[in-house]
Amino acid sequence: MDFSNVQDRSGYLGGTDAALVGRIGGGLRISLEHYIRLAVAYGDLPRRYLREVPKTEAMEAGHRFEDYFFGEVAPDWTPRVERQHILRRPMEGLPALIAHADGYDATRGLVLELKFSRYHTADVAERYRWQLQWYYFLGAERVRLIHGSGTLREDVRIAFRTVEKDAAAQEQLTAGLCRIREMRPRIREVAEMVELKDDSDESQGN
């Protein structure tokens, strides 16, 4: 399966799902929307059932920061750093587990995760904690957060932060995935209910 399109979230669990996996591993309840996400990951429902996330200026700024960093700040990294590298980890009874790394140095097992945000670097690291720990779960040996702020090309500030592997977070991710595997019948059941409701709504509308 081709996982190069980060917008197509069907058939896998990725870095944006890591917080959900951690939530489940922590024993917290999940919503119908979460069940639908898991159903899409398993292929029980098509992607159209997911709530669309509109592109924002912040997202666009993040993409521009990636191009700026690799193109102008660290062009000498390009020969050894692969952009948009996909990490994978197979686990039986689960959707594909993947992560799209902004940059990956295979010689060192190093993931580079770039974020462009007005918040303090420590706050950015905490906000994306589960996504950063997900890289370790999928086999990364080191993870480095590269945080940009300010105005690109005019007053850009860049901070580097090494993200340590958190044993407790890794255990919680493992627990979450084990629980998702156990929830498989319920996820399939929810998918069937959602499709039946959709069919019913369509028939009533015609």
Side-chain angles (χ1 to χ4, degrees), residues 84-99:
Q84 296 304 317
H85 176 82
I86 300 176
L87 286 79
R88 298 175 173 86
R89 177 176 174 177
M91 289 186 71
E92 186 177 354
L94 290 167
L97 306 179
I98 71 166

Side-chain angles (χ1 to χ4, degrees), residues 26-96:
L28 299 177
R29 297 183 64 179
I30 63 173
S31 66
L32 174 60
E33 186 175 334
H34 291 143
Y35 271 105
I36 291 174
R37 170 64 195 118
L38 294 173
V40 172
Y42 269 112
D44 297 332
L45 288 173
R47 181 183 176 277
R48 64 185 176 86
Y49 283 95
L50 293 179
R51 180 172 57 87
E52 290 292 333
V53 179
K55 290 185 177 181
T56 64
E57 177 58 31
M59 293 169 63
E60 293 298 327
H63 294 315
R64 290 195 297 270
F65 175 60
E66 291 178 29
D67 292 337
Y68 171 77
F69 181 82
F70 288 112
E72 299 187 33
V73 177
D76 55 322
W77 292 14
T78 304
R80 70 175 187 272
V81 173
E82 177 187 355
R83 295 188 61 181
Q84 296 304 317
H85 176 82
I86 300 176
L87 286 79
R88 298 175 173 86
R89 177 176 174 177
M91 289 186 71
E92 186 177 354
L94 290 167

Side-chain angles (χ1 to χ4, degrees), residues 77 110-115 120-127 129 132-133 136 142-148 158-164:
W77 292 14
L110 170 66
V111 165
L112 303 176
E113 178 62 27
L114 279 69
K115 299 295 184 186
H120 190 276
T121 303
D123 295 329
V124 174
E126 180 58 30
R127 179 183 179 128
R129 172 179 177 241
L132 295 168
Q133 289 299 316
Y136 279 119
R142 298 170 62 195
V143 177
R144 182 171 296 167
L145 173 65
I146 301 174
H147 172 216
I158 300 176
F160 297 83
R161 184 185 183 96
T162 297
V163 178
E164 301 296 335

